[in-house]
Structures are given as C-alpha cells and as structure tokens.
Amino acid sequence: MGIFSLRNTREILRDPVNLGFGLGFPLALLLLLTAIQANIPVEQFPIDRLTPGIAMFGLSFFTLFSATLISKDRASAFLTRLFSTPLSARDFILGYTLPLLPMCLVQSALCYLTACCLGLRPGWNLLAALAALLPADVFFIALGLLCGSLFSDRQVGGLCGALLTNLAALLSGAWFDVDLVGGAFSAVAGALPFKQATDAGRAALAGDLAAAAPSLLWTSLWAACALLAAVAAFRRRMREG
Amino acid sequence: MTAIETRGLTKRYGEKAAVDRLNLTVERGELFALLGVNGAGKSTAIKMLSCLLRPDGGDALLLGDSISAAPRAVKRRIGVSPQETAVAPNLTVEENLELMAGVCGAGDPRARRRRVLAELGLEGEARRRARVLSGGWQRRLSIAMALVADPEILFLDEPTLGLDVLARRELWEVVRGLKGRTTVVLTTHYLEEAEALADRVGILVEGRLRAVGTPEELKALAGTDRFEDAFVALAAGRGAA
C-alpha cells in the first residue's frame, strides 16, 4: 500500500498547475480580503475570523484533486490494472487518502502562516485550529473519492471544481455571516459541514475548545458518512471491474 | 500440468450471455490465443479469469486456485495487460515498473525493473514520464508492467492494438520469449498474430467456444489452407467442432 500511496503523492505533486492553483488561490484570497479590510472603515474581514474560513475553503480543492486522480485512473484503465493485483479495497482507500492528508495540513499551515504575516497573533491555539480542521480534511478527501468513483473526469471538474468550491465558499460563513441571510439559507448552511468546520476552527483559534466540540462532532459525522459512501462506491467499482 | 481450467464459466448481462458455459484447459507454459469477432466474449472471459469480473455461473481454477473462492491467491500469480494502455502518466517508466512490482508484492523491484527494461528495450526511455511517450512506447510500457512481477500466468488483451508493424514484430519476439516459462493467454484481432505466436487457438462465437486446436488443426477442421479462411468459416458456423 505504501508504494501505491507514493505513486498518488507523485501524481498530485507533479501536476504543478492544479497544485499551484489549489494552494495559491486560498492564499491570494486571504491577501485580497485583508487588503480590502485595511481600506474600509467597518470590521468586515477580521483576520482571526477570516483565516479559519479561508483555511476550510482551501480544503475544497482537495476534493477536486482526489476526484480527478481516481476518475482519470478509471478512464485510462490504470485502475483496472490495479484491480487485478492483490491490493485490497482497504489498500486503495488508504492509498488514495493518506497522501492527501499531509497536503491538507501543509495547505492549512501555509494559510495560518500567511495570516500571521498579516497580523494574526501567533500562539499554541494555531495548532488547535489546525487540528480542528482534521475532520474537514477527511470529509473533503472522502468526497473526492466518492465523486471520482461515480463520475468521469470531465464531470468531476464541474462538480468538484466549480460547484463544490462555490458551495464551500458561500455556505461556510468565511466572509459573511450566513445568519444575516437567515431562513432556509442559514438552516442549510448550519446543517452542512462547511460552516461547522469554519466555526470549529474559529473557536479553536480563540482557545475555546468546548465551543468547538459540537461543530467538530457534526463535521466528523459528515466525514464518516462521506468516507462510508466512498468505500461503498469504490467497492462497487471494484466488483464491476 | 494444467495452468487454467474453466468449468462452465458464464457471465450474463441481462438476458444476454457474454460468456456461455466456457470449458477450457490451458497447459503450463502454453501460449493460448482467444479469437472472436467484436462482442464474442474474449475480453469478458479474460476479465473473469483475471478476477476483474465475478462469474454468474461456473468457475475457473488458475494453478489450482479458484477465481471465485480465492481471488487474492489468483491475483498473486497473474499479470494483466488491459486492452487500453494503462500507465500512470506522471510517473517515469521505471517508477511505473517499480510500482507494479511493489503492489504485486514481488521482491527486489529494482532488479526486476532493470530486467524488464532490457527485455522490452525500454532502457532509453526509463527516466521519461509515461505521458510524454508515444502511443507505441506507452503500449510497450503497459505490457512491461504486466511482466515486471514475473507472473506465472499472463493475460494480454489486444497487446499490439495500434502498434506499427515494426513495433508489433518486436513485441512478438518478446511474447515468444515467454513461451515455456510463462503461461500466456492472448486475445487479438490480428489473425496472423495468433497464427505466428499461439500454440493453440480458441474461437469464441457469441460467448461459446466454437473450436479449439492448433492453427494447423483449425485449418484442417475448416478444410482450408489459410488461417484467416479457417477463422471465418469457424466463426460463421461452417465446419464447427
């Protein structure tokens, strides 16, 4: 399984356009919104609220990475070849998931480091905020595994690239309070993991782990459901050869 | 000694039997070609034998292990080169080979990689990424990946599809070199390929084995001097065994 993980790491790291965009876009957004904040009289994007939201939003690109990798492997028959080897479903799921976890952590760490340069106060709470993103890491990667198992590489481009990143951006409360919109929008945002993951990050960054716990639990539940669905979809693909 | 024995192997898609009660025996070290027109069931048969598809009826024993009861044991002893070129595009040629040796659990992947690079004439391309190789070189790499773990049974599904005549002849030499030490099951649309390489040939018609024998035996059975004429006569139902 280790060599299969290594292969997946190489495939992702050797795609500089995707990787650069995935890592760079959230940072560019952080810089832009901080610059806007510096030039407006009201406190719209305070760095300690903005950073956890942007860090969560950045993770949505990992859904695109994992979904694209799997769907391309399927399209090229590379996965068919691997299915004829002794690798088990567990090896495949771990092989696709494990290389992306450290990449998620690196991206989130870069986000917080950049925020520190922009005025965020460094401290141990940064580590807690990074740890609070772990369920969201798993959720986004698992969602990619699910989409990659179900859809073609062209379809995942639209679903995971355009749709998911917009959903994650709008429903996370990263740069506006979804409760201000209210109604169904607020209820949907509260039920989905994007806002919950952002809230968990904000509470952890503030050092209030008790406040982070319910959101962490909710995001973990979503992550577990996404992972189970991904395993089921992948096993089905294996059975279909 | 028997390498492959199928007993009433069947695969259905709805009402249609893609492979219908296939009874076939392939001896160790034999090169067996499976011929048939499009949709005859060749690839479905290979997919079942390589544990990529579950049979709906019957079973097959590969070196004594059942594809239904012990697919993992079967997978440890086979190599598969799918019809489509199946390589990891962002890995180099040698990384692709080491990956396959690794996932198949073969010892000393580097030594195996060096041997296969030499056998397939891929040394000059060893450090190039698979995606920049020409179609012919990618096809060669795809076959090398099936060989690198030194399988006891090798399935080659349309191995020379899309290759120019020189590349095809070079590949024939590689396949000839396997005779005696590796059991090879080959599907092909090129009748001259089957005639030149195969010890025995099976002709599938609508999922059923219409005839089996050496090229000379099949010509005698159909009452023709040319192998192509024999195939046409047998596949069309004239002179069937």
Side-chain angles (χ1 to χ4, degrees), chain A residues 27 30 47-48 50-53 55-56 106-118 120 125-130 132-133 198 201-202 204-205:
Chain A
L27 298 184
L30 189 63
I47 194 79
D48 58 335
L50 181 63
T51 311
M56 188 288 305
V106 167
Q107 192 208 46
S108 302
L110 280 175
C111 208
Y112 276 100
L113 275 176
T114 307
C116 287
C117 298
L118 296 171
L120 184 70
N125 288 346
L126 289 179
L127 292 178
L130 280 177
L133 279 173
T198 302
R202 282 173 177 163
L205 189 63

Side-chain angles (χ1 to χ4, degrees), chain B residues 2 7 21 33 47 67 79 83 101 106 110 121 124 140 151-152 159 161 178 188 201 212 225 228 237 239:
Chain B
T2 302
R7 299 167 179 165
R21 289 164 285 168
K47 281 184 175 175
I67 59 168
Q83 201 173 98
R110 290 191 175 182
R140 200 180 280 228
E152 290 171 78
L161 192 70
L178 298 170
T188 181
V201 174
V212 64
D225 292 330
E228 188 173 324

Side-chain angles (χ1 to χ4, degrees), chain A residues 1 3-4 6-7 10-12 14-16 73 75-88 91 238-241, chain B residues 50 52-53 72 75-76 78 80-82 84-92 95-96 98-100 102-104 129 142 145-146:
Chain A
M1 193 268 288
I3 193 160
F4 179 55
L6 178 63
R7 173 265 168 176
R10 283 171 168 160
E11 285 284 351
I12 293 165
R14 288 177 184 177
D15 192 345
D73 281 351
S76 71
F78 184 71
L79 207 52
T80 302
R81 178 192 284 284
L82 292 176
F83 284 165
S84 72
T85 68
L87 287 178
S88 65
D91 293 331
M238 279 188 87
R239 279 198 301 274
E240 290 169 352
Chain B
S50 50
L52 290 170
L53 275 181
R72 219 147 172 216
K75 287 177 178 182
R76 284 196 190 94
I78 64 170
V80 180
S81 176
E84 305 88 347
T85 301
V87 300
N90 280 328
L91 299 194
T92 65
E95 285 169 350
N96 265 290
E98 282 182 28
L99 166 70
M100 287 311 295
V103 296
C104 291
R129 293 208 188 155
S142 187
M145 288 164 74

Side-chain angles (χ1 to χ4, degrees), chain A residues 68-197:
Chain A
T68 305
L69 184 61
I70 295 177
S71 58
K72 281 189 173 173
D73 281 351
R74 279 176 45 221
S76 71
F78 184 71
L79 207 52
T80 302
R81 178 192 284 284
L82 292 176
F83 284 165
S84 72
T85 68
L87 287 178
S88 65
R90 177 178 163 274
D91 293 331
F92 280 109
I93 296 292
L94 289 176
Y96 278 120
T97 306
L98 292 182
L100 285 162
L101 274 175
M103 291 186 208
C104 288
L105 282 172
V106 167
Q107 192 208 46
S108 302
L110 280 175
C111 208
Y112 276 100
L113 275 176
T114 307
C116 287
C117 298
L118 296 171
L120 184 70
R121 204 149 47 109
W124 291 109
N125 288 346
L126 289 179
L127 292 178
L130 280 177
L133 279 173
L134 275 172
D137 294 346
V138 175
F139 168 74
F140 281 110
I141 295 169
L143 193 61
L145 287 171
L146 177 65
C147 292
S149 299
L150 295 177
F151 303 110
S152 70
D153 55 334
R154 287 184 68 180
Q155 289 170 321
V156 298
L159 276 171
C160 305
L163 185 63
L164 179 74
T165 50
N166 276 302
L167 277 179
L170 290 172
L171 295 170
S172 64
W175 40 77
F176 66 91
D177 186 352
V178 294
D179 291 332
L180 290 176
V181 182
F185 185 85
S186 179
V188 170
L192 291 172
F194 313 116
K195 181 178 179 298
Q196 298 286 351

Side-chain angles (χ1 to χ4, degrees), chain B residues 17 20 37 54 59 78 87 107 134 139 142 198 234-235:
Chain B
D20 193 6
V37 295
R54 287 189 184 190
D59 197 2
I78 64 170
V87 300
S134 68
R139 169 65 64 176
S142 187
L234 293 167

Side-chain angles (χ1 to χ4, degrees), chain A residues 17-49:
Chain A
V17 176
N18 267 346
L19 193 68
F21 187 75
L23 290 179
F25 187 68
L27 298 184
L29 210 54
L30 189 63
L31 291 167
L32 178 71
L33 293 175
T34 308
I36 291 172
Q37 176 63 66
N39 290 291
I40 56 174
V42 291
E43 196 176 49
Q44 182 64 39
F45 307 119
I47 194 79
D48 58 335
R49 288 186 60 78

